[in-house]
Protein backbone atom coordinates (compact mmCIF):
# COMPACT_ATOMS: atom_id res chain seq x y z
CA UNK A 1 0.00 0.00 0.00
CA UNK A 2 2.86 2.42 0.70
CA UNK A 3 4.26 1.89 -2.79
CA UNK A 4 0.90 2.53 -4.39
CA UNK A 5 0.39 5.68 -2.28
CA UNK A 6 3.83 7.00 -3.23
CA UNK A 7 3.10 6.38 -6.90
CA UNK A 8 -0.13 8.36 -6.64
CA UNK A 9 1.70 11.30 -5.02
CA UNK A 10 4.36 11.32 -7.74
CA UNK A 11 1.71 11.10 -10.45
CA UNK A 12 -0.21 14.01 -8.89
CA UNK A 13 2.97 16.12 -8.66
CA UNK A 14 3.97 15.47 -12.28
CA UNK A 15 0.45 16.10 -13.53
CA UNK A 16 0.19 19.38 -11.61
CA UNK A 17 3.39 20.62 -13.25
CA UNK A 18 2.19 20.10 -16.81
CA UNK A 19 2.10 23.29 -18.89
CA UNK A 20 -1.21 25.10 -19.19
CA UNK A 21 -1.39 24.49 -22.91
CA UNK A 22 -1.28 20.70 -22.74
CA UNK A 23 -4.34 18.57 -21.97
CA UNK A 24 -4.83 14.85 -21.99
CA UNK A 25 -6.74 15.03 -25.27
CA UNK A 26 -4.37 17.57 -26.83
CA UNK A 27 -6.83 20.41 -26.26
CA UNK A 28 -5.71 23.80 -24.98
CA UNK A 29 -6.73 24.20 -21.33
CA UNK A 30 -6.29 27.04 -18.83
CA UNK A 31 -3.80 26.83 -16.01
CA UNK A 32 -6.33 28.47 -13.68
CA UNK A 33 -10.10 28.44 -13.97
CA UNK A 34 -10.58 31.08 -11.27
CA UNK A 35 -8.62 34.22 -12.22
CA UNK A 36 -8.58 35.49 -8.64
CA UNK A 37 -6.39 32.53 -7.67
CA UNK A 38 -3.51 34.07 -9.65
CA UNK A 39 -2.13 35.96 -6.64
CA UNK A 40 0.41 38.11 -8.48
CA UNK A 41 -2.18 39.71 -10.72
CA UNK A 42 -3.78 43.11 -10.27
CA UNK A 43 -7.18 42.19 -11.68
CA UNK A 44 -8.72 45.63 -11.36
CA UNK A 45 -6.60 46.90 -14.24
CA UNK A 46 -8.33 47.44 -17.57
CA UNK A 47 -7.73 44.63 -20.09
CA UNK A 48 -6.50 45.44 -23.59
CA UNK A 49 -9.18 45.37 -26.26
CA UNK A 50 -8.68 43.89 -29.69
CA UNK A 51 -8.95 46.85 -32.02
CA UNK A 52 -7.57 47.68 -35.44
CA UNK A 53 -4.65 50.07 -35.35
CA UNK A 54 -4.11 53.22 -37.38
CA UNK A 55 -7.71 54.03 -38.29
CA UNK A 56 -8.28 57.80 -38.39
CA UNK A 57 -11.68 59.26 -37.65
CA UNK A 58 -11.56 61.70 -40.55
CA UNK A 59 -9.79 61.53 -43.90
CA UNK A 60 -9.40 65.15 -44.89
CA UNK A 61 -2.38 71.23 -43.82
CA UNK A 62 1.17 72.77 -40.76
CA UNK A 63 1.63 72.29 -37.12
CA UNK A 64 3.30 75.62 -37.55
CA UNK A 65 0.69 77.71 -39.35
CA UNK A 66 -1.13 74.39 -39.83
CA UNK A 67 -4.78 73.54 -39.72
CA UNK A 68 -6.66 72.42 -36.62
CA UNK A 69 -7.59 68.76 -36.94
CA UNK A 70 -11.09 67.45 -36.44
CA UNK A 71 -11.62 66.30 -32.83
CA UNK A 72 -10.17 62.80 -32.37
CA UNK A 73 -9.13 62.66 -36.02
CA UNK A 74 -5.89 60.98 -34.91
CA UNK A 75 -6.99 58.87 -31.91
CA UNK A 76 -3.44 57.62 -31.19
CA UNK A 77 -2.12 61.09 -30.36
CA UNK A 78 -1.05 61.54 -26.73
CA UNK A 79 -0.45 64.82 -24.89
CA UNK A 80 2.39 64.60 -22.36
CA UNK A 81 3.05 66.98 -19.48
CA UNK A 82 6.56 66.38 -18.11
CA UNK A 83 7.28 67.35 -14.47
CA UNK A 84 10.79 67.96 -13.02
CA UNK A 85 12.28 68.13 -9.53
CA UNK A 86 12.42 71.90 -9.78
CA UNK A 87 8.66 72.09 -10.09
CA UNK A 88 8.90 73.19 -13.72
CA UNK A 89 7.12 71.34 -16.47
CA UNK A 90 7.29 70.95 -20.25
CA UNK A 91 5.06 69.43 -22.89
CA UNK A 92 5.64 66.81 -25.56
CA UNK A 93 3.66 64.65 -27.89
CA UNK A 94 3.45 60.88 -27.95
CA UNK A 95 1.85 58.02 -29.85
CA UNK A 96 -0.37 55.27 -28.49
CA UNK A 97 1.05 51.99 -29.83
CA UNK A 98 -0.76 49.69 -27.40
CA UNK A 99 -3.20 49.93 -24.50
CA UNK A 100 -0.29 50.18 -22.07
CA UNK A 101 2.47 51.91 -24.06
CA UNK A 102 3.15 55.39 -25.43
CA UNK A 103 5.98 56.03 -27.91
CA UNK A 104 7.83 59.34 -27.57
CA UNK A 105 11.29 60.94 -27.70
CA UNK A 106 13.94 60.08 -25.12
CA UNK A 107 14.76 63.74 -24.54
CA UNK A 108 11.14 64.31 -23.46
CA UNK A 109 11.73 62.06 -20.43
CA UNK A 110 15.18 63.45 -19.56
CA UNK A 111 15.22 64.65 -15.92
CA UNK A 112 11.53 63.89 -15.43
CA UNK A 113 10.13 62.72 -12.11
CA UNK A 114 6.56 62.24 -13.29
CA UNK A 115 4.68 62.31 -16.57
CA UNK A 116 0.96 62.93 -17.02
CA UNK A 117 -0.56 61.45 -20.16
CA UNK A 118 -3.78 62.63 -21.79
CA UNK A 119 -5.40 60.39 -24.39
CA UNK A 120 -8.41 61.21 -26.53
CA UNK A 121 -7.64 64.92 -26.14
CA UNK A 122 -8.25 67.69 -28.67
CA UNK A 123 -8.49 70.86 -26.58
CA UNK A 124 -5.79 70.70 -23.89
CA UNK A 125 -6.82 73.80 -21.97
CA UNK A 126 -8.07 73.53 -18.40
CA UNK A 127 -11.58 74.46 -19.55
CA UNK A 128 -11.70 71.70 -22.16
CA UNK A 129 -14.91 69.73 -22.46
CA UNK A 130 -13.42 66.77 -24.34
CA UNK A 131 -15.85 63.96 -23.63
CA UNK A 132 -13.57 61.01 -24.26
CA UNK A 133 -10.35 62.06 -22.57
CA UNK A 134 -8.46 59.57 -20.40
CA UNK A 135 -5.87 60.82 -17.90
CA UNK A 136 -2.90 58.89 -16.51
CA UNK A 137 0.05 59.64 -14.25
CA UNK A 138 3.17 57.49 -14.42
CA UNK A 139 6.75 57.26 -13.24
CA UNK A 140 7.66 54.36 -15.53
CA UNK A 141 9.42 54.86 -18.85
CA UNK A 142 12.23 53.28 -20.83
CA UNK A 143 14.73 55.29 -22.88
CA UNK A 144 16.93 53.75 -25.54
CA UNK A 145 20.18 52.65 -23.86
CA UNK A 146 22.35 54.17 -26.62
CA UNK A 147 20.86 57.65 -26.39
CA UNK A 148 22.66 60.57 -24.73
CA UNK A 149 21.17 64.03 -24.28
CA UNK A 150 21.68 66.10 -27.42
CA UNK A 151 22.15 63.07 -29.67
CA UNK A 152 20.16 63.00 -32.89
CA UNK A 153 20.17 59.21 -33.13
CA UNK A 154 18.37 56.83 -30.76
CA UNK A 155 16.14 59.60 -29.39
CA UNK A 156 13.26 57.26 -28.62
CA UNK A 157 11.48 56.19 -25.44
CA UNK A 158 8.53 54.14 -24.21
CA UNK A 159 6.17 55.32 -21.49
CA UNK A 160 4.28 52.63 -19.60
CA UNK A 161 0.83 53.50 -18.29
CA UNK A 162 -0.11 52.27 -14.80
CA UNK A 163 -3.03 50.34 -16.31
CA UNK A 164 -4.36 49.77 -19.81
CA UNK A 165 -6.25 52.53 -21.56
CA UNK A 166 -9.77 51.80 -22.69
CA UNK A 167 -9.44 51.51 -26.46
CA UNK A 168 -12.21 52.77 -28.71
CA UNK A 169 -12.76 55.00 -31.74
CA UNK A 170 -11.45 57.88 -29.61
CA UNK A 171 -8.34 56.19 -28.23
CA UNK A 172 -6.70 53.61 -30.45
CA UNK A 173 -3.10 52.73 -31.34
CA UNK A 174 -1.25 53.71 -34.48
CA UNK A 175 0.23 50.84 -36.45
CA UNK A 176 3.96 50.25 -36.21
CA UNK A 177 5.92 50.11 -39.49
CA UNK A 178 7.56 46.97 -40.83
CA UNK A 179 11.15 46.41 -39.70
CA UNK A 180 12.25 46.20 -43.34
CA UNK A 181 10.22 49.18 -44.55
CA UNK A 182 11.52 51.19 -47.48
CA UNK A 183 13.01 54.62 -46.81
CA UNK A 184 9.67 56.25 -47.80
CA UNK A 185 11.51 58.81 -49.94
CA UNK A 186 9.02 61.21 -51.54
CA UNK A 187 6.03 59.80 -49.65
CA UNK A 188 3.52 62.25 -48.15
CA UNK A 189 3.42 62.27 -44.34
CA UNK A 190 1.36 64.10 -41.71
CA UNK A 191 2.95 65.78 -38.68
CA UNK A 192 0.74 66.55 -35.68
CA UNK A 193 1.15 68.30 -32.33
CA UNK A 194 0.15 71.02 -29.85
CA UNK A 195 3.42 72.96 -30.08
CA UNK A 196 4.28 76.51 -31.21
CA UNK A 197 2.23 77.30 -34.29
CA UNK A 198 2.94 80.96 -35.10
CA UNK A 199 5.91 83.21 -35.80
CA UNK A 200 4.29 85.91 -33.66
CA UNK A 201 6.19 86.37 -30.39
CA UNK A 202 4.60 85.05 -27.19
CA UNK A 203 1.84 83.27 -29.09
CA UNK A 204 2.56 80.13 -27.11
CA UNK A 205 1.44 76.61 -27.69
CA UNK A 206 -1.69 75.64 -29.57
CA UNK A 207 -4.75 74.80 -27.47
CA UNK A 208 -5.95 72.48 -30.21
CA UNK A 209 -4.23 69.63 -32.02
CA UNK A 210 -2.84 70.76 -35.39
CA UNK A 211 -1.48 68.99 -38.44
CA UNK A 212 0.67 69.75 -41.45
CA UNK A 213 1.45 67.75 -44.57
CA UNK A 214 4.93 67.38 -45.99
CA UNK A 215 7.01 64.80 -47.86
CA UNK A 216 9.94 62.60 -46.88
CA UNK A 217 13.34 63.80 -48.11
CA UNK A 218 16.58 61.87 -48.38
CA UNK A 219 18.63 61.10 -45.29
CA UNK A 220 20.52 58.25 -46.97
CA UNK A 221 23.93 57.36 -45.61
CA UNK A 222 25.48 60.14 -43.57
CA UNK A 223 25.46 62.90 -46.18
CA UNK A 224 21.95 63.02 -47.61
CA UNK A 225 19.87 66.10 -48.29
CA UNK A 226 18.63 66.18 -44.69
CA UNK A 227 22.13 66.03 -43.19
CA UNK A 228 23.36 68.78 -45.49
CA UNK A 229 20.48 71.14 -44.77
CA UNK A 230 19.83 70.54 -41.07
CA UNK A 231 23.28 71.44 -39.72
CA UNK A 232 22.87 69.46 -36.50
CA UNK A 233 25.74 67.05 -36.87
CA UNK A 234 26.24 63.58 -38.21
CA UNK A 235 23.51 60.94 -38.28
CA UNK A 236 22.59 57.99 -40.45
CA UNK A 237 19.47 57.53 -42.54
CA UNK A 238 18.98 54.05 -41.10
CA UNK A 239 17.98 55.67 -37.81
CA UNK A 240 16.57 59.01 -38.98
CA UNK A 241 13.72 59.92 -41.32
CA UNK A 242 13.31 63.54 -42.44
CA UNK A 243 10.45 65.63 -43.76
CA UNK A 244 10.73 68.60 -46.08
CA UNK A 245 10.56 71.92 -44.22
CA UNK A 246 11.27 74.23 -47.16
CA UNK A 247 7.62 75.34 -47.42
CA UNK A 248 7.37 76.23 -43.74
CA UNK A 249 5.62 72.96 -42.96
CA UNK A 250 7.51 72.11 -39.79
CA UNK A 251 7.15 70.88 -36.26
CA UNK A 252 8.35 73.24 -33.51
CA UNK A 253 8.97 73.39 -29.78
CA UNK A 254 6.27 71.51 -27.89
CA UNK A 255 5.71 69.07 -30.75
CA UNK A 256 8.73 67.00 -29.65
CA UNK A 257 8.08 63.26 -29.40
CA UNK A 258 5.01 63.42 -31.62
CA UNK A 259 4.45 61.12 -34.59
CA UNK A 260 5.21 61.36 -38.29
CA UNK A 261 2.19 59.56 -39.75
CA UNK A 262 2.28 57.63 -43.03
CA UNK A 263 -0.99 56.59 -44.66
CA UNK A 264 -1.15 53.10 -46.14
CA UNK A 265 -3.74 53.13 -48.93
CA UNK A 266 -3.79 49.30 -49.12
CA UNK A 267 -4.89 48.87 -45.50
CA UNK A 268 -6.55 52.27 -45.11
CA UNK A 269 -4.52 52.84 -41.94
CA UNK A 270 -1.76 55.08 -40.58
CA UNK A 271 1.57 53.91 -39.19
CA UNK A 272 3.92 55.95 -37.03
CA UNK A 273 7.12 56.04 -39.10
CA UNK A 274 8.87 58.77 -37.11
CA UNK A 275 9.22 60.33 -33.63
CA UNK A 276 9.87 64.09 -33.55
CA UNK A 277 13.33 65.23 -32.43
CA UNK A 278 13.96 68.52 -30.57
CA UNK A 279 11.66 71.26 -31.82
CA UNK A 280 12.94 74.74 -32.59
CA UNK A 281 11.94 77.04 -29.72
CA UNK A 282 12.53 80.30 -31.62
CA UNK A 283 9.81 82.49 -33.15
CA UNK A 284 11.52 81.87 -36.49
CA UNK A 285 10.76 78.14 -36.45
CA UNK A 286 8.55 78.00 -39.53
CA UNK A 287 10.59 80.56 -41.47
CA UNK A 288 13.85 78.66 -40.98
CA UNK A 289 12.82 76.19 -43.71
CA UNK A 290 15.01 73.53 -42.06
CA UNK A 291 14.17 69.82 -42.42
CA UNK A 292 11.97 68.02 -39.92
CA UNK A 293 14.14 65.44 -38.13
CA UNK A 294 12.40 62.33 -36.79
CA UNK A 295 13.65 59.05 -35.33
CA UNK A 296 12.95 56.29 -37.88
CA UNK A 297 10.66 53.87 -36.01
CA UNK A 298 11.19 50.91 -38.36
CA UNK A 299 14.79 50.64 -37.09
CA UNK A 300 13.56 50.18 -33.52
CA UNK A 301 10.60 47.77 -33.81
CA UNK A 302 12.64 44.89 -32.35
CA UNK A 303 13.70 47.10 -29.43
CA UNK A 304 10.06 48.02 -28.90
CA UNK A 305 9.09 44.34 -28.93
CA UNK A 306 11.82 43.40 -26.46
CA UNK A 307 10.45 45.93 -23.98
CA UNK A 308 6.71 45.70 -24.55
CA UNK A 309 5.83 42.33 -26.11
CA UNK A 310 4.18 44.18 -29.02
CA UNK A 311 4.88 41.68 -31.78
CA UNK A 312 6.39 43.15 -34.98
CA UNK A 313 4.10 42.78 -37.97
CA UNK A 314 5.70 40.74 -40.79
CA UNK A 315 5.78 42.48 -44.14
CA UNK A 316 3.29 41.03 -46.65
CA UNK A 317 4.84 38.60 -49.10
CA UNK A 318 4.36 39.31 -52.81
CA UNK A 319 4.47 36.50 -55.35
CA UNK A 320 4.63 36.92 -59.13
CA UNK A 321 2.93 34.39 -61.40
CA UNK A 322 4.06 34.34 -65.05
CA UNK A 323 1.84 32.76 -67.71
CA UNK A 324 3.44 31.98 -71.09
CA UNK A 325 1.49 31.01 -74.23
CA UNK A 326 3.49 29.29 -76.99
CA UNK A 327 2.32 28.20 -80.50
CA UNK A 328 3.81 24.95 -81.81
CA UNK A 329 4.54 24.52 -85.54
CA UNK A 330 2.69 21.46 -86.90
CA UNK A 331 3.51 19.61 -90.17
CA UNK A 332 0.69 17.51 -91.71
CA UNK A 333 1.08 14.91 -94.48
CA UNK A 334 -2.02 14.28 -96.63
CA UNK A 335 -2.80 11.71 -99.30
CA UNK A 336 -5.08 12.31 -102.32
CA UNK A 337 -8.07 9.99 -102.76
CA UNK A 338 -7.13 6.70 -104.40
CA UNK A 339 -9.13 6.62 -107.66
CA UNK A 340 -6.57 4.95 -109.84
CA UNK A 341 -3.45 3.07 -109.08
CA UNK A 342 -0.59 5.52 -108.51
CA UNK A 343 2.93 5.44 -107.38
CA UNK A 344 3.11 9.11 -106.62
CA UNK A 345 2.57 10.30 -103.01
CA UNK A 346 1.78 13.97 -102.51
CA UNK A 347 3.18 15.55 -99.37
CA UNK A 348 1.82 18.94 -98.32
CA UNK A 349 3.16 21.10 -95.49
CA UNK A 350 0.48 23.16 -93.78
CA UNK A 351 1.64 26.78 -93.36
CA UNK A 352 2.21 27.71 -89.76
CA UNK A 353 0.91 30.94 -88.30
CA UNK A 354 3.33 32.22 -85.68
CA UNK A 355 1.61 33.66 -82.61
CA UNK A 356 3.70 36.01 -80.45
CA UNK A 357 4.50 34.68 -77.00
CA UNK A 358 2.35 36.46 -74.39
CA UNK A 359 3.58 36.90 -70.85
CA UNK A 360 1.23 38.08 -68.16
CA UNK A 361 2.62 39.03 -64.76
CA UNK A 362 0.24 38.95 -61.82
CA UNK A 363 1.26 40.19 -58.38
CA UNK A 364 -0.62 38.79 -55.43
CA UNK A 365 -0.32 39.83 -51.80
CA UNK A 366 -0.36 36.81 -49.53
CA UNK A 367 0.02 36.18 -45.83
CA UNK A 368 -0.70 39.83 -45.07
CA UNK A 369 -1.87 40.22 -41.48
CA UNK A 370 -4.75 42.49 -40.56
CA UNK A 371 -3.30 45.36 -38.50
CA UNK A 372 -4.35 45.19 -34.85
CA UNK A 373 -3.02 46.61 -31.61
CA UNK A 374 -1.61 43.12 -30.94
CA UNK A 375 -0.92 41.47 -34.33
CA UNK A 376 -0.92 38.00 -32.74
CA UNK A 377 -3.99 38.58 -30.55
CA UNK A 378 -4.74 35.63 -28.30
CA UNK A 379 -7.83 33.85 -29.59
CA UNK A 380 -10.26 32.62 -26.95
CA UNK A 381 -12.74 31.12 -29.39
CA UNK A 382 -13.63 27.61 -28.25
CA UNK A 383 -11.35 27.80 -25.18
CA UNK A 384 -12.58 27.22 -21.63
CA UNK A 385 -12.71 30.25 -19.34
CA UNK A 386 -9.52 30.78 -17.38
CA UNK A 387 -5.94 32.07 -17.35
CA UNK A 388 -3.54 31.25 -20.20
CA UNK A 389 0.21 31.99 -20.69
CA UNK A 390 1.60 33.89 -23.66
CA UNK A 391 1.87 31.20 -26.38
CA UNK A 392 4.49 33.14 -28.39
CA UNK A 393 6.98 33.82 -25.60
CA UNK A 394 7.96 31.62 -22.65
CA UNK A 395 9.59 34.57 -20.90
CA UNK A 396 6.88 37.21 -21.03
CA UNK A 397 5.21 39.60 -18.60
CA UNK A 398 2.05 39.17 -20.67
CA UNK A 399 -0.67 36.58 -20.06
CA UNK A 400 -4.32 36.23 -21.02
CA UNK A 401 -7.71 35.58 -19.50
CA UNK A 402 -10.56 34.04 -21.51
CA UNK A 403 -14.14 34.78 -20.55
CA UNK A 404 -17.00 33.46 -22.69
CA UNK A 405 -14.88 33.57 -25.83
CA UNK A 406 -13.49 37.08 -25.21
CA UNK A 407 -9.76 37.67 -24.73
CA UNK A 408 -8.30 39.99 -22.08
CA UNK A 409 -4.61 40.74 -21.88
CA UNK A 410 -2.77 41.47 -18.63
CA UNK A 411 0.79 42.29 -17.61
CA UNK A 412 2.56 41.15 -14.43
CA UNK A 413 2.36 44.24 -12.19
CA UNK A 414 5.62 43.73 -10.28
CA UNK A 415 8.78 44.96 -11.99
CA UNK A 416 11.20 42.19 -12.93
CA UNK A 417 8.61 39.40 -12.90
CA UNK A 418 7.30 37.25 -15.74
CA UNK A 419 4.39 34.85 -16.04
CA UNK A 420 5.18 31.27 -14.95
CA UNK A 421 2.72 28.90 -16.61
CA UNK A 422 3.56 26.01 -14.25
CA UNK A 423 2.28 27.86 -11.19
CA UNK A 424 -0.02 30.12 -13.24
CA UNK A 425 1.31 33.17 -11.46
CA UNK A 426 3.83 35.98 -11.87
CA UNK A 427 7.26 34.82 -10.77
CA UNK A 428 10.96 35.68 -10.91
CA UNK A 429 12.65 34.84 -14.25
CA UNK A 430 15.13 32.53 -12.53
CA UNK A 431 12.21 30.24 -11.65
CA UNK A 432 10.93 30.03 -15.21
CA UNK A 433 12.40 27.40 -17.52
CA UNK A 434 14.26 28.90 -20.45
CA UNK A 435 13.94 32.41 -19.08
CA UNK A 436 16.73 32.85 -16.53
CA UNK A 437 17.29 36.57 -15.96
CA UNK A 438 15.74 37.70 -19.23
CA UNK A 439 12.66 39.87 -18.83
CA UNK A 440 10.61 40.70 -21.87
Amino acid sequence: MKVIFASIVVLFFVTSMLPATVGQSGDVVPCKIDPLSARGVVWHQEPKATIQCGVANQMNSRIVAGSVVAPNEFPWMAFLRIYFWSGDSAQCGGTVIDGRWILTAAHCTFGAVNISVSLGAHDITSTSNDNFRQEFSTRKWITHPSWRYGDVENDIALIELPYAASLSNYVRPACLPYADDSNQLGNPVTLIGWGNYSSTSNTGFSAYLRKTLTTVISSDGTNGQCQQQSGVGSFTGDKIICGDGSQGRRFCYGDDGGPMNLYDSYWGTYSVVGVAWMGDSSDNCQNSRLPNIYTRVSYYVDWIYNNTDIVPVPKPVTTTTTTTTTTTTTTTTTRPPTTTPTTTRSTTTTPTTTTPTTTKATTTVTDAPTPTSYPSQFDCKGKPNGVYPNPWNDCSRTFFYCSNGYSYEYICPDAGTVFNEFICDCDYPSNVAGCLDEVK
Side-chain angles (χ1 to χ4, degrees):
M1 292 296 294
K2 291 183 179 180
V3 175
I4 295 176
F5 177 78
S7 299
I8 294 175
V9 171
V10 171
L11 179 61
F12 173 79
F13 176 78
V14 173
T15 304
S16 66
M17 292 300 288
L18 287 175
T21 55
V22 179
Q24 290 181 347
S25 63
D27 296 332
V28 176
V29 296
C31 58
K32 292 281 187 183
I33 301 300
D34 176 15
L36 296 179
S37 62
R39 300 181 307 280
V41 181
V42 181
W43 286 101
H44 67 267
Q45 62 181 266
E46 292 281 347
K48 180 197 297 184
T50 303
I51 189 168
Q52 186 174 351
C53 65
V55 178
N57 288 319
Q58 178 172 326
M59 291 299 302
N60 287 324
S61 167
R62 57 192 200 191
I63 307 178
V64 171
S67 59
V68 174
V69 308
N72 302 112
E73 180 176 348
F74 299 97
W76 48 88
M77 187 63 188
F79 177 76
L80 309 180
R81 176 64 64 182
I82 317 298
Y83 295 95
F84 307 99
W85 283 113
S86 63
D88 294 334
S89 67
Q91 77 172 48
C92 278
T95 306
V96 178
I97 57 172
D98 177 83
R100 288 290 296 268
W101 295 95
I102 309 298
L103 187 67
T104 190
H107 76 265
C108 287
T109 66
F110 184 76
V113 295
N114 190 71
I115 298 177
S116 68
V117 180
S118 297
L119 306 181
H122 176 63
D123 175 3
I124 58 171
T125 62
S126 58
T127 58
S128 169
N129 60 355
D130 288 341
N131 295 322
F132 305 100
R133 185 183 296 195
Q134 299 179 47
E135 302 285 351
F136 302 85
S137 180
T138 182
R139 297 175 181 268
K140 298 179 69 175
W141 49 85
I142 303 168
T143 59
H144 195 278
S146 298
W147 177 80
R148 298 294 180 270
Y149 190 83
D151 287 354
V152 180
E153 296 181 347
N154 306 312
D155 192 2
I156 190 169
L158 294 160
I159 297 173
E160 184 176 4
L161 301 180
Y163 54 91
S166 177
L167 300 183
S168 65
N169 287 337
Y170 306 99
V171 177
R172 72 166 67 226
C175 300
L176 290 175
Y178 307 121
D180 57 346
D181 248 349
S182 64
N183 60 16
Q184 313 296 354
L185 183 62
N187 286 348
V189 288
T190 305
L191 317 180
I192 55 179
W194 284 277
N196 288 343
Y197 65 100
S198 173
S199 59
T200 303
S201 298
N202 301 317
T203 302
F205 299 140
S206 174
Y208 303 98
L209 185 62
R210 291 175 176 266
K211 67 179 178 181
T212 185
L213 298 179
T214 187
T215 55
V216 176
I217 62 174
S218 172
S219 58
D220 289 347
T222 57
N223 195 36
Q225 178 185 354
C226 185
Q227 288 92 329
Q228 295 179 32
Q229 295 179 353
S230 62
V232 296
S234 177
F235 55 85
T236 172
D238 291 342
K239 297 182 178 182
I240 300 296
I241 184 171
C242 295
D244 178 33
S246 64
Q247 304 299 315
R249 297 170 180 173
R250 304 192 65 242
F251 80 94
C252 288
Y253 184 66
D255 296 317
D256 311 38
M260 174 185 283
N261 304 278
L262 175 71
Y263 183 68
D264 185 332
S265 59
Y266 181 84
W267 292 116
T269 59
Y270 282 92
S271 58
V272 52
V273 295
V275 174
W277 190 56
M278 295 184 179
D280 185 350
S281 60
S282 72
D283 295 332
N284 195 45
C285 179
Q286 64 173 327
N287 295 323
S288 70
R289 305 293 195 257
L290 295 175
N292 298 287
I293 300 176
Y294 280 67
T295 298
R296 189 183 292 274
V297 178
S298 60
Y299 185 88
Y300 298 92
V301 292
D302 287 335
W303 175 76
I304 292 172
Y305 167 61
N306 290 335
N307 287 280
T308 66
D309 279 341
I310 301 175
V311 181
V313 179
K315 195 170 187 177
V317 178
T318 58
T319 58
T320 301
T321 304
T322 302
T323 304
T324 303
T325 303
T326 305
T327 301
T328 304
T329 301
T330 305
T331 301
T332 306
T333 301
T334 60
R335 294 184 182 182
T338 305
T339 55
T340 56
T342 179
T343 58
T344 304
R345 178 175 294 177
S346 174
T347 302
T348 304
T349 301
T350 303
T352 300
T353 302
T354 303
T355 303
T357 298
T358 303
T359 302
K360 182 180 180 181
T362 303
T363 301
T364 306
V365 178
T366 60
D367 300 324
T370 300
T372 62
S373 62
Y374 198 111
S376 299
Q377 176 66 34
F378 189 76
D379 186 4
C380 284
K381 184 178 181 180
K383 293 184 176 66
N385 293 346
V387 182
Y388 293 83
N390 188 333
W392 308 284
N393 189 342
D394 293 332
C395 186
S396 173
R397 294 178 62 190
T398 301
F399 58 98
F400 301 91
Y401 174 59
C402 289
S403 176
N404 299 322
Y406 291 95
S407 171
Y408 300 92
E409 180 180 338
Y410 291 91
I411 297 178
C412 290
D414 296 328
T417 61
V418 296
F419 191 77
N420 186 338
E421 65 176 305
F422 287 101
I423 63 173
C424 205
D425 207 340
C426 296
D427 199 356
Y428 292 105
S430 57
N431 297 328
V432 180
C435 187
L436 300 178
D437 294 326
E438 180 184 5
V439 179
K440 296 292 184 184

